[in-house]
Amino acid sequence: VTIMIIAKAFIKSGLVNRITHKIIKHFGTSIISLCYGLNLANLLIASIVPSSAARIGGMIIPIIETINNVISSKIGSTDKIKNILLVNSLYSNAIITPIFLTSITNLVIKNILAEKFNINLSWFYCFINGICPALFCLLLMPVVILYLLDTPDVEDIALFQQSFIKKLKVEGKLNANEITILFVMFFLICGWIISDFLSINNFMISLCGLSVILVSDLLDHEEDILRNTELWSNLLWLSVFILITNTMNDLNVLNYLLKNFIHAISLLDSTTGYVLIFLIYGYSHYFFASSTIHVTTLYAIFLTLLNSKIDTGMFNSILLLHASNLFLGLTSYTSTEAVLITSQITIDNRKFYV
């Protein structure tokens, strides 16, 4: 909720127009180049913003909304273009997140490895091992998305690029609202970077940033917050799924399934068991309403099972780390990022899950 309110302020301040202007100016020749521009922006922001939900909700989605509004003014309804940009951002976030260890899920994995396996998972190690595969996936993914989703009627938007730039052209210096939101973003980024060293919860830092926005009167409290049905609907929806997962844990449903699964895996050969363990770890995410709960419950158990079949040292740890981030885009309800994005896309659910 905090992130969505900050994102609303980010849009209303007008600062997002300046950023969108730069993206369209340099990457606005086609839809696929816009996807690459957003991926590059996400990659750069991820290196300094340790919250993937903050990146998506507070920066990427507002930029996509502005791009969509500008294109709509020229070529009419652009739901297809907006859907492509949103889905691209969802999956690019899942690819980028493990490189910089920027999410609560990755911090939980880091703690599990340190406490139960005596493994120190460093930022540098994850970056070196993840950057090359990630760049390859970021280059390939927009092509695959354009192939799978309905292609917009206007594939080449280069003809409208100058009109977009002219419409988004911002004259003069930063206004008071833009300065306020820049101060808040700078405060949040610095706070998130040093939060681990000072043992401060990231939520408390976000709450401080939200307080500045509310005091500055940048938002209309009634219209932008109290009557924001999307904001409160997402909160209620996510709460229900978390309640279901907690109930399953209380009833020992997961423990029962794990016990039978471990017995079945012990009967398989090393290679078959190894592949099956990895696949089940990823696709079992459908039973969880939170990536953090999934990782807390299963990561240590499945890493032990992988090592029992083929002990590859750190490779198994990194393999499950990336799997734990890739399933952020597996469903529409098991991460804050997925909830924020899928609440705005208009594609058929069957096509999304495929």
Side-chain angles (χ1 to χ4, degrees):
V1 171
T2 302
I3 293 300
M4 291 184 71
I5 295 176
I6 294 175
K8 186 71 173 179
F10 189 54
I11 295 173
K12 291 195 68 174
S13 70
L15 184 62
V16 69
N17 285 347
R18 293 181 183 268
I19 299 174
T20 307
H21 174 270
K22 296 296 182 183
I23 291 178
I24 290 182
K25 181 178 180 180
H26 297 287
F27 297 96
T29 56
S30 65
I31 298 169
I32 194 168
S33 65
L34 283 174
C35 289
Y36 287 134
L38 288 170
N39 290 348
L40 178 60
N42 199 355
L43 183 64
L44 295 175
I45 295 170
S47 62
I48 56 174
V49 180
S51 170
S52 56
R55 289 200 311 272
I56 292 296
M59 300 177 184
I60 301 300
I61 290 180
I63 291 173
I64 292 176
E65 285 286 348
T66 305
I67 291 174
N68 182 68
N69 292 338
V70 174
I71 295 177
S72 297
S73 66
K74 284 292 179 182
I75 60 177
S77 177
T78 55
D79 281 347
K80 292 180 180 179
I81 296 177
K82 182 181 178 181
N83 289 339
I84 289 173
L85 296 180
L86 286 170
V87 173
N88 170 76
S89 296
L90 175 62
Y91 293 122
S92 66
N93 182 69
I95 294 169
I96 291 169
T97 297
I99 302 176
F100 301 102
L101 293 178
T102 53
S103 73
I104 297 175
T105 301
N106 291 324
L107 294 179
V108 171
I109 291 174
K110 186 177 180 179
N111 291 334
I112 291 174
L113 290 174
E115 294 175 3
K116 297 185 177 182
F117 298 91
N118 198 28
I119 295 175
N120 181 24
L121 188 64
S122 67
W123 179 93
F124 182 76
Y125 186 87
C126 291
F127 179 81
I128 292 298
N129 285 276
I131 188 64
C132 290
L135 289 176
F136 174 77
C137 291
L138 290 175
L139 288 173
L140 181 63
M141 182 185 57
V143 179
V144 175
I145 290 175
L146 279 174
Y147 176 76
L148 293 177
L149 295 182
D150 292 334
T151 305
D153 297 331
V154 181
E155 295 188 24
D156 189 355
I157 60 175
L159 297 175
F160 305 100
Q161 186 180 17
Q162 293 304 317
S163 298
F164 297 158
I165 293 174
K166 184 178 180 181
K167 182 177 177 64
L168 284 172
K169 189 174 182 180
V170 182
E171 300 289 349
K173 299 179 180 180
L174 295 171
N175 59 43
N177 289 337
E178 290 174 315
I179 293 174
T180 300
I181 203 67
L182 271 178
F183 169 78
V184 171
M185 297 308 296
F186 178 77
F187 168 78
L188 291 176
I189 291 171
C190 292
W192 289 327
I193 290 174
I194 65 174
S195 60
D196 287 341
F197 301 101
L198 300 179
S199 299
I200 301 175
N201 191 297
N202 281 338
F203 172 71
M204 295 304 298
I205 296 172
S206 300
L207 200 59
C208 291
L210 176 61
S211 300
V212 174
I213 289 176
L214 295 177
V215 171
S216 67
D217 206 28
L218 198 152
L219 295 176
D220 184 316
H221 294 185
E222 184 174 350
E223 189 67 29
D224 295 324
I225 300 177
L226 296 179
R227 294 185 180 179
N228 191 333
T229 56
E230 180 185 351
L231 178 73
W232 303 114
S233 295
N234 285 336
L235 176 63
L236 181 62
W237 182 36
L238 194 58
S239 300
V240 170
F241 279 105
I242 293 176
L243 177 62
I244 292 172
T245 300
N246 290 337
T247 303
M248 290 178 63
N249 285 329
D250 293 339
L251 296 175
N252 289 321
V253 174
L254 295 175
N255 290 335
Y256 174 78
L257 294 175
L258 279 173
K259 183 178 179 180
N260 288 277
F261 170 70
I262 292 172
H263 174 71
I265 287 294
S266 64
L267 303 177
L268 300 175
D269 63 89
S270 297
T271 304
T272 305
Y274 188 89
V275 174
L276 192 60
I277 290 168
F278 176 75
L279 291 176
I280 291 177
Y281 176 75
Y283 285 101
S284 63
H285 193 59
Y286 285 109
F287 295 98
F288 294 88
S290 165
S291 301
T292 304
I293 296 174
H294 185 172
V295 167
T296 304
T297 306
L298 299 184
Y299 184 87
I301 297 172
F302 275 75
L303 181 56
T304 302
L305 289 173
L306 281 181
N307 289 337
S308 69
K309 291 299 180 182
I310 303 178
D311 191 354
T312 59
M314 282 291 291
F315 178 79
N316 286 340
S317 305
I318 295 296
L319 182 68
L320 287 189
L321 170 71
H322 282 272
S324 301
N325 286 275
L326 289 176
F327 59 47
L328 293 176
L330 191 62
T331 70
S332 60
Y333 55 83
T334 51
S335 70
T336 305
E337 303 90 312
V339 171
L340 291 172
I341 287 179
T342 56
S343 63
Q344 300 189 49
I345 61 176
T346 57
I347 60 175
D348 184 75
N349 278 334
R350 289 174 296 177
K351 184 170 293 188
F352 172 79
Y353 281 102
V354 169

